[in-house]
Amino acid sequence: MSLTLYNTAARALEPFTPLEKGRVGIYVCGVTVYDLCHIGHARSAIVFDVLVRYLRALGNDVTYVRNFTDVDDKIIARAKDLGESPEDLAGRYIEAFYTDMDQLDIMRADREPRATEHIEAMIDMIRILIEKGNAYRAGDDVYFAVESLPGYGALSGRKLEDMKAGSRIAIGEQKRHPMDFALWKAAKEGEPQWDSPWGKGRPGWHMECSVMSTHYLGTTFDIHGGGEDLLFPHHENERAQAVAALGGEFARYWIHNGFVTVNSEKMSKSLGNFLTIRDALKLYHPQVLRMFLISQHYRSPLDFTRSAVEAHRSGLTRLYRALERMDAILGPWNYDQGLSKQLKGDALPLPEEFRQAMDDDLNTARAVAFLFEKLKEINRIIGQEASLSESDRSLLAEGREELIVCASVLGLLKESPAAFFEGVAKDTVTLDNAEVERLVADRTEARKKKEWKRADEIRDILKKMGVVLEDGPKGTTWHRDV
RNA sequence: GGCGGCAUAGCCAAGUGGCUAAGGCAGCGGUCUGCAAAACCGUUAUUCACCGGUUCGAGUCCGGUUGCCGCCUCCA
């Protein structure tokens, strides 16, 4: 079996075959940097992060391009409100993007172009579109003529005649067809602007992606991704421009991720339920968020609720606990190893079951289920800890490797258990380890003397400090309450 | 109005016509333990919103009903 992906353009699952065997070019629409990223941005970023990781784990040489939209109406408006330059505002939010995404362990793309770095090429593309008769000037603006391109609407499954967009046209616009969209917008006072054959102005939103994707990946490339809301008009228009201007096929596979709702409501400013990554990270450990965000299929809507996220925190904790015990038995694992191997693009040894799940349109829910099945196997072996045979130990070592390699494709189990437990603990108060150790030792003393009451008192004290004890055959271990 | 999606146990969720409907969380019973915790074992959907149909066989395909959601306007 090989990788099958749902191609929005075909509205069907299709076997994925790159243009060139072993090489994959992927372009993903990034964010418009005028505000902090929210949990929906995180989902999108994680979906494509996992896709790229998996393509690499299969041994592909992947070129991953993700843009920043750093010139746009919203940026200009926000900058004006804050009395800041649009460039500074965009710069600040690009930094914020990295801060947040780094915490979620989202890999950097290979190319992260900004719209403002490619204005010249956009002007060139607009010029070509005018020459070819796909675009026209109207006043100081330039519009794309949707009727000039046969098949416009095919990507998003719309017919021009169905799209009664007349009511959306602002007075004063001189479009030939209501669906025509701006390629170049004439400059307004005090806004970012560039010289062009049509006077000073700035490019329309869709232009940047047509130009930057084909610049880095060629006129026909493998995968284009983004949130499902971008399908229309953004992706439709992006493709129309590129196909009309360059004649290539543009993207061959279109992948769109579903939305995140919060308590069953779409996030919106008016509802005040915008959950930024930053705020979510105040409540949950980044690995827990990641686990939650990949726990269902990427095309399904995902509802963010406290109880749902917390369920995954419990599950992830169980995985890390097993890791901790394996480290104790086998010696500590180097927690960077899985990831660093895969970043080189070498094929990873992935178990068949895991591969089948991922091959099936990136079924991360099933992939996670595999992790738990593996966990059960491992725990069964550890259960006999007192008498582990050589073959048990090597089974355990194999199991650990498999578990971590698979998890690394999902971006999970990437840190040491100690770091995870420290980070995931409810109690933010720093523990005095020496104090804990002393109490544990006192309790061990009491238990030796069978002073159960005293022992239980100490256990209660520790519990209140946020420490949970486990009495095992090799003595008492403790960890922070989760 | 146009286009599309979803409805599976207490909750989340996989299931892309055919062995006993994954997995997680929560609960319950058991093993272990001084008692716990953790772990393991067992258990919790004769049934997949409802009604018809196709088929030897449907959660899975088709039609209808109900309910929810998204896009069509900036949006991941």
Side-chain angles (χ1 to χ4, degrees):
Chain A
M1 187 170 167
S2 62
L3 179 59
T4 299
L5 292 171
Y6 184 86
N7 187 351
T8 313
R11 257 154 280 277
L13 289 167
E14 293 185 339
F16 175 71
T17 334
L19 218 47
E20 191 185 331
K21 195 172 177 350
R23 295 175 69 91
V24 178
I26 173 168
Y27 183 89
V28 175
C29 287
V31 295
T32 301
V33 279
Y34 73 106
D35 205 345
L36 290 173
C37 288
H38 54 65
I39 201 74
H41 295 115
R43 184 188 197 186
S44 184
I46 287 173
V47 164
F48 294 105
D49 183 68
V50 169
L51 175 59
V52 169
R53 283 171 191 250
Y54 186 54
L55 287 167
R56 288 195 173 132
L58 292 175
N60 291 292
D61 179 5
V62 179
T63 304
Y64 178 23
V65 183
R66 181 181 56 210
N67 71 306
F68 284 112
T69 298
D70 63 346
V71 55
D72 154 277
D73 291 343
K74 294 187 294 294
I75 295 173
I76 292 166
R78 178 65 62 89
K80 193 175 275 179
D81 286 349
L82 297 177
E84 188 177 14
S85 77
E87 299 79 50
D88 288 351
L89 181 89
R92 270 200 304 122
Y93 283 116
I94 286 173
E95 272 181 41
F97 173 91
Y98 284 133
T99 304
D100 295 347
M101 296 299 176
D102 284 354
Q103 282 209 68
L104 292 170
D105 203 34
I106 288 158
M107 294 183 299
R108 301 290 167 104
D110 300 301
R111 303 283 185 166
E112 303 188 329
R114 303 176 186 191
T116 53
E117 298 166 349
H118 291 266
I119 302 287
E120 281 308 310
M122 294 189 222
I123 291 171
D124 283 344
M125 186 176 278
I126 295 169
R127 188 186 292 130
I128 293 170
L129 288 170
I130 293 174
E131 281 165 12
K132 288 192 167 182
N134 297 103
Y136 57 92
R137 288 184 71 165
D140 293 325
D141 298 332
V142 179
Y143 289 99
F144 186 89
V146 291
E147 288 168 307
S148 72
L149 186 73
Y152 178 83
L155 173 61
S156 56
R158 280 153 222 263
K159 295 181 188 119
L160 273 182
E161 48 269 33
D162 290 344
M163 295 190 276
K164 301 172 196 135
S167 59
R168 294 289 179 187
I169 300 182
I171 293 164
E173 287 192 34
Q174 306 163 54
K175 295 183 189 177
R176 292 179 189 169
H177 184 280
M179 294 313 296
D180 287 356
F181 54 91
L183 300 181
W184 188 260
K185 299 176 175 183
K188 290 183 195 138
E189 190 62 33
E191 288 184 359
Q193 49 193 271
W194 290 264
D195 286 320
S196 82
W198 320 286
K200 286 186 184 299
R202 61 191 165 92
W205 173 37
H206 317 299
M207 195 36 83
E208 62 180 271
C209 289
S210 306
V211 165
M212 296 191 289
S213 58
T214 53
H215 174 79
Y216 291 106
L217 300 172
T219 56
T220 301
F221 58 93
D222 295 307
I223 299 174
H224 189 124
E228 66 181 5
D229 55 317
L230 296 179
L231 179 57
F232 188 88
H234 184 53
H235 289 161
E236 189 72 56
N237 293 350
E238 209 184 307
R239 175 159 87 165
Q241 293 166 348
V243 169
L246 308 171
E249 199 184 322
F250 201 53
R252 301 168 59 238
Y253 296 85
W254 288 84
I255 313 291
H256 290 95
N257 67 275
F259 260 51
V260 179
T261 53
V262 175
N263 298 321
S264 305
E265 286 175 331
K266 184 181 171 178
M267 281 187 282
S268 72
K269 304 261 173 181
S270 55
L271 285 168
N273 62 347
F274 241 81
L275 181 64
T276 61
I277 295 176
R278 228 154 257 208
D279 285 340
L281 284 172
K282 283 178 197 154
L283 296 170
Y284 304 107
H285 189 276
Q287 287 270 286
V288 171
L289 282 181
R290 221 183 141 105
M291 174 87 164
F292 170 70
L293 290 170
I294 62 163
S295 66
Q296 13 196 316
H297 189 86
Y298 74 89
R299 282 189 284 119
S300 307
L302 175 66
D303 193 32
F304 190 101
T305 63
R306 212 177 174 97
S307 63
V309 181
E310 282 170 5
H312 290 287
R313 181 172 62 197
S314 302
L316 187 62
T317 302
R318 214 149 64 82
L319 285 163
Y320 270 106
R321 265 204 260 272
L323 242 39
E324 184 181 47
R325 280 184 294 167
M326 284 192 284
D327 286 354
I329 295 166
L330 301 168
W333 175 269
N334 172 3
Y335 285 91
D336 280 332
Q337 202 178 314
L339 189 59
S340 59
K341 253 199 320 203
Q342 133 188 348
L343 285 175
K344 281 188 276 175
D346 298 333
L348 292 177
L350 298 173
E352 189 55 29
E353 223 180 313
F354 182 84
R355 275 196 61 159
Q356 278 180 12
M358 295 297 282
D359 278 349
D360 182 13
D361 194 27
L362 231 53
N363 193 330
T364 50
R366 235 166 77 199
V368 169
F370 173 76
L371 256 38
F372 281 102
E373 274 154 19
K374 207 74 215 166
L375 172 72
K376 191 160 274 191
E377 276 176 40
I378 286 167
N379 278 335
R380 241 172 275 182
I381 298 171
I382 296 179
Q384 316 152 11
E385 190 178 350
S387 59
L388 277 188
S389 66
E390 266 316 300
S391 71
D392 282 339
R393 292 178 67 92
S394 66
L395 269 175
L396 205 53
E398 260 173 54
R400 176 167 74 170
E401 168 125 19
E402 250 184 34
L403 186 68
I404 291 178
V405 165
C406 291
S408 73
V409 174
L410 304 172
L412 295 174
L413 304 186
K414 63 138 199 159
E415 52 192 50
S416 72
F420 176 78
F421 293 128
E422 180 65 30
V424 83
K426 274 182 200 156
D427 203 336
T428 49
V429 175
T430 316
L431 275 182
D432 180 347
N433 284 15
E435 170 75 1
V436 172
E437 294 291 355
R438 193 182 60 74
L439 285 165
V440 170
D442 284 355
R443 177 167 169 278
T444 303
E445 240 355 87
R447 290 183 72 223
K448 269 185 194 156
K449 296 179 196 156
K450 299 196 189 294
E451 292 170 6
W452 307 126
K453 193 164 177 250
R454 171 83 187 130
D456 291 350
E457 276 167 14
I458 298 174
R459 185 166 61 197
D460 287 343
I461 292 168
L462 285 163
K463 173 81 181 166
K464 279 181 190 134
M465 290 168 66
V467 171
V468 176
L469 299 180
E470 289 173 29
D471 298 328
K474 289 179 179 173
T476 300
T477 56
W478 64 273
H479 59 82
R480 299 188 65 147
D481 198 3
V482 174

